[in-house]
Amino acid sequence: MKKFALYKLAISNLRRKMVRSILLLLLATIVSGTLLGATIFITGMKNALNIGTYRLGADVLVVPSENEAQARSALLAGKPTSFYMNSSVLEKIKEVEGVEIASPQLFIEPSSFTCCYSVDLFLIAIDPVTDFTVRPWLKNNQHQSLQGNQIIAGRSLPIMTESVIPFFGTLFTVVGTMEPTGMNFFDQSIFMTMDAAYAMAENSITKSMQPLKLEKGIISAVMVKTDGVINPDRVATRIMYALDGVKAIASDEVISTVRKQLSGLLTGIMTVSMVLWAMALFMIGFAFYMIVNERQRELGMLRAMGAKRQHIFLLIVFEAVIITFSGGLAGLGVGFGMLFALQEKIQQSLQLPYILPPPAVVRELVAASLIFSICTGLLSSLIPASLASRLEPYEAIRKGE
Amino acid sequence: MIQTINLCKSYRISGQVIKAADRVNISISTGELVAIIGHSGSGKTTLLSLLGGLTKPDSGQVLIEDLNLWSMNDSRLAQLRNKRFGFIYQFASLIPTLTALENLYLPTAFGKGYDDLKNRAMDLLQKVGMNDKADFYPSQLSGGQQRRVSIARAFINNPEIILADEPTGDLDEETEAEIIDLFKTMNQERGTTFIIVTHNKSIAQQAQRNFSMRDGDLQEN
């Protein structure tokens, strides 16, 4: 060692008042962790929304007009529901100008689930021939047309491929699982064919304690893919003009509703985070103002030893940055911990889709969080460090007596 | 040589002007050991701080080898303090979370440093009889031992001038005698100039020259 490093003195100073240093570190940890957790969560929701918009597949969703709210709730939050309309609407929808594909879906809300799972699952019957919404979510090697009593499970369900599960007294075999979508509508659903659903309902009369009342030929919704020439909003309007008793919802409209919710949430979270950060900035700054006051004599002595103004400035800044950077590092653990512990509950209460951002984005957010924590230390110590550096050595030594 | 010309410094306390240095003229040659004696509030500590460039005079000059301290900017003045001055205080001046050896290293944080820093520091600790306590923290040392370490620290940059403010103020007679002997040894071996501020007449009598200070007025005895 050729000379004593200033940062060692900064670390030594922090060790001197260990309780105060730990409290400041905790504050920096909480702020940093909250900001990181909130940022990753918001990014995750945006990510899910972007993927969802792209992969939802259907440009227009047609449901019974009196069940619009339930349909939105099912689509956005995956809330199990059941409502029905006659399948004759399907042929009429296919005839509307601008409709390229129309595929029916039947929603069944299980009243009993004989297995051990407590999750809210949703049974959705599809037409494998015309379906275009589930297919994109299937891994290539698992892709196959459903037949008989075969089902596909959403990613959030703790169900293994090839396992056999009973619904309403009928046994079904899991032939595939979907990729994670971030939307409960897909992630917590079981998909089967329409024929299997009708057969299950018929069997339930004799085989199930709670029979499923489902008439053959009824459906819950029609997923519509437009031809790309006519705007989905206009296609939706045309469908409602052509058919009585149905509500056609353009998916853009659904997504824009989520975006509005997300925008409000984002503003709220960011406001709270910024207030929290400003308070931390003030508290750390005030703590260092007191530290400078109580260490005046020592700072004067350092000036007498030959410390320049910038040495004193750097010493105080180092101390603050060591605290906030360490808090930033600890905040990574707190942030991810909070995220994984609470994400499901928050997601459920907000009823918004969520997917963890890709690793590259998470890495960027982590780096940004650490840079932010360094900036917090710099900013909070700016005034105390500046005051400390301007002390006249003799005055500082005298005042400290 | 360190010299002052008509050095003045005053304070305003409760509306009253207190003269801490009143046209002080003093000239101290290199290698001298001088003492400044006076009662509390006579202005001796202020004079020491003026000589060491720690506070700016209201008027007058402090010259080190004909170089006016206050003609320099703050950065150069700090460099000069680092290289040419060593300060010893009456109060505990060691950093409590640094060992004795690390406390000796401290002034090097503001200078160029030395390739043989550890040897240099250990030699100084040996000189003050503290080499076996290099890794001790100040709380593990007695008041006299702490003072010895702070004296050794003042020498780490091999300064030309040592400014000591009541260096034995709170020590027992035996330790006081040891510290003064140490000053004399350093003065003779290294040719270091010592300016010691004290209210202890017996210390003043051991100096080569001594001065009295009263209400900011300095007179050679």
Side-chain angles (χ1 to χ4, degrees):
Chain A
M1 184 174 68
K2 197 177 171 186
K3 61 190 279 187
F4 192 71
L6 204 58
Y7 76 88
K8 285 188 184 172
L9 180 60
I11 293 170
S12 146
N13 287 336
L14 292 172
R15 273 175 28 215
R16 212 182 306 179
K17 299 266 182 179
M18 198 57 105
V19 174
R20 179 170 61 195
S21 298
I22 288 172
L23 286 175
L24 288 174
L25 192 132
L26 272 176
L27 178 68
T29 302
I30 291 167
V31 171
S32 178
T34 308
L35 284 175
L36 180 69
T39 312
I40 292 180
F41 188 73
I42 290 168
T43 311
M45 286 201 289
K46 280 184 173 175
N47 185 34
L49 205 57
N50 290 336
I51 293 174
T53 313
Y54 173 70
R55 283 189 161 182
L56 184 65
D59 298 319
V60 178
L61 172 71
V62 184
V63 293
S65 54
E66 66 272 23
N67 299 110
E68 182 191 349
Q70 284 167 274
R72 282 179 187 273
S73 173
L75 202 63
L76 290 178
K79 195 176 177 187
T81 185
S82 51
F83 47 80
Y84 305 109
M85 59 185 175
N86 198 292
S87 62
S88 60
V89 296
L90 182 63
E91 293 311 314
K92 289 177 185 167
I93 290 169
K94 282 179 182 172
E95 287 166 12
V96 173
E97 192 184 357
V99 173
E100 187 184 337
I101 308 169
S103 183
Q105 288 193 355
L106 180 62
F107 302 155
I108 302 162
E109 190 179 354
S111 55
S112 66
F113 186 36
T114 54
C115 194
C116 48
Y117 314 123
S118 59
V119 286
D120 265 352
L121 64 74
F122 194 8
L123 291 178
I124 301 175
I126 57 170
D127 175 9
V129 179
T130 58
D131 173 70
F132 57 92
T133 57
V134 177
R135 190 162 303 194
W137 296 102
L138 292 170
K139 288 178 184 172
N140 287 337
N141 59 355
Q142 290 174 327
H143 178 247
Q144 53 185 291
S145 295
L146 286 176
Q147 47 187 294
N149 288 353
Q150 292 179 334
I151 53 173
I152 289 169
R155 193 60 171 207
S156 295
L157 298 173
I159 295 173
M160 303 282 286
T161 307
E162 293 182 9
S163 53
V164 176
I165 304 168
F167 289 108
F168 296 99
T170 303
L171 292 175
F172 289 87
T173 306
V174 182
V175 293
T177 54
M178 295 171 71
E179 288 184 56
T181 69
M183 300 174 81
N184 287 347
F185 179 73
F186 288 118
D187 289 346
Q188 290 190 190
S189 295
I190 294 274
F191 295 90
M192 60 179 65
T193 66
M194 303 288 276
D195 289 340
Y198 295 136
M200 174 179 74
E202 201 175 321
N203 287 340
S204 72
I205 297 166
T206 53
K207 294 183 180 174
S208 175
M209 298 280 285
Q210 291 169 294
L212 177 63
K213 289 170 188 168
L214 202 66
E215 290 171 30
K216 196 164 184 175
I218 60 162
I219 58 174
S220 300
V222 177
M223 301 291 180
V224 173
K225 192 175 184 67
T226 58
D227 59 8
V229 179
I230 301 174
N231 185 295
D233 285 335
R234 293 188 67 187
V235 174
T237 309
R238 287 181 183 192
I239 291 171
M240 287 194 285
Y241 184 75
L243 282 89
D244 287 332
V246 298
K247 172 73 184 178
I249 312 162
S251 63
D252 283 352
E253 192 194 329
V254 178
I255 297 303
S256 72
T257 307
V258 182
R259 281 199 196 285
K260 274 180 195 166
Q261 275 179 272
L262 193 60
S263 164
L265 182 74
L266 182 80
T267 309
I269 291 176
M270 287 320 287
T271 306
V272 170
S273 301
M274 283 300 116
V275 168
L276 195 65
W277 180 68
M279 280 172 62
L281 210 60
F282 174 77
M283 287 171 78
I284 294 170
F286 186 69
F288 274 91
Y289 177 75
M290 293 201 303
I291 287 169
V292 166
N293 263 333
E294 74 189 34
R295 287 219 311 254
Q296 280 201 38
R297 176 192 270 181
E298 187 184 301
L299 294 171
M301 270 169 30
L302 293 177
R303 294 276 282 139
M305 282 180 205
K308 296 176 186 171
R309 288 186 196 279
Q310 55 262 45
H311 286 127
I312 300 296
F313 184 88
L314 275 178
L315 178 67
I316 303 297
V317 168
F318 272 162
E319 289 182 29
V321 168
I322 287 168
I323 290 264
T324 54
F325 183 69
S326 308
L329 283 175
L332 296 183
V334 171
F336 280 107
M338 275 180 7
L339 193 69
F340 288 116
L342 301 175
Q343 69 177 37
E344 204 172 315
K345 284 181 184 171
I346 296 172
Q347 194 185 344
Q348 277 171 3
S349 66
L350 295 174
Q351 300 199 340
L352 287 173
Y354 172 81
I355 295 179
L356 187 70
V361 177
V362 173
R363 273 198 295 273
E364 280 174 19
L365 291 174
V366 165
S369 167
L370 291 177
I371 291 169
F372 193 72
S373 62
I374 290 172
C375 292
T376 305
L378 276 172
L379 275 174
S380 62
S381 61
L382 222 50
I383 293 173
S386 175
L387 288 173
S389 70
R390 285 184 206 165
L391 289 170
E392 190 197 48
Y394 179 55
E395 278 301 307
I397 292 170
R398 267 185 52 184
K399 279 182 184 171
E401 284 176 9
Chain B
M1 188 175 78
I2 184 165
Q3 187 184 3
T4 67
I5 301 170
N6 288 331
L7 202 59
C8 290
K9 179 82 179 178
S10 57
Y11 300 101
R12 186 175 288 273
I13 301 170
S14 305
Q16 199 182 348
V17 176
I18 307 290
K19 286 184 178 176
D22 187 10
R23 283 171 292 171
V24 171
N25 290 289
I26 185 173
S27 182
I28 299 163
S29 304
T30 304
E32 263 196 295
L33 193 155
V34 303
I36 299 170
I37 194 164
H39 296 296
S40 295
S42 59
K44 36 186 208 308
T45 299
T46 302
L47 176 60
L48 206 67
S49 300
L50 286 164
L51 293 173
L54 298 180
T55 188
K56 194 173 182 174
D58 297 336
S59 62
Q61 292 182 350
V62 179
L63 303 171
I64 305 280
E65 315 292 354
D66 297 329
L67 183 69
N68 184 2
L69 286 191
W70 294 100
S71 67
M72 290 183 254
N73 63 24
D74 185 80
S75 184
R76 279 197 63 203
L77 188 57
Q79 271 182 322
L80 184 124
R81 281 196 296 261
N82 183 250
K83 285 182 185 168
R84 301 179 78 164
F85 287 109
F87 292 86
I88 299 165
Y89 306 94
Q90 178 186 353
F91 53 82
S93 63
L94 300 180
I95 304 290
T97 42
L98 296 179
T99 62
L101 189 65
E102 287 169 335
N103 266 288
L104 250 71
Y105 291 159
L106 198 51
T108 64
F110 315 117
K112 286 183 178 172
Y114 307 96
D115 289 330
D116 60 341
L117 179 61
K118 187 166 185 184
N119 291 338
R120 195 183 181 96
M122 287 306 292
D123 283 350
L124 283 167
L125 282 177
Q126 191 172 24
K127 193 70 113 181
V128 297
M130 294 293 292
N131 52 321
D132 57 337
K133 301 207 165 38
D135 295 326
F136 281 45
Y137 286 93
S139 59
Q140 297 168 306
L141 302 173
S142 69
Q145 287 173 326
Q146 287 187 38
R147 195 61 43 83
R148 284 166 183 274
V149 174
S150 61
I151 289 167
R153 182 178 64 188
F155 279 94
I156 192 73
N157 286 328
N158 200 17
E160 294 155 30
I161 303 161
I162 291 287
L163 301 167
D165 186 9
E166 306 272 11
T168 59
D170 58 346
L171 301 178
D172 58 66
E173 283 181 15
E174 194 182 337
T175 313
E176 179 185 288
E178 281 175 16
I179 299 284
I180 296 304
D181 283 346
L182 190 63
F183 283 1
K184 284 181 184 172
T185 310
M186 294 289 208
N187 172 248
Q188 283 161 11
E189 284 182 4
R190 293 174 175 247
T192 311
T193 306
F194 277 80
I195 303 172
I196 304 166
V197 156
T198 180
H199 57 262
N200 186 325
K201 284 182 181 168
S202 70
I203 292 176
Q205 281 164 1
Q206 295 181 63
Q208 290 157 8
R209 281 199 294 161
N210 65 69
F211 298 82
S212 291
M213 193 142 193
R214 190 171 190 164
D215 298 332
D217 181 37
L218 185 75
Q219 296 294 331
E220 185 165 355
N221 296 322

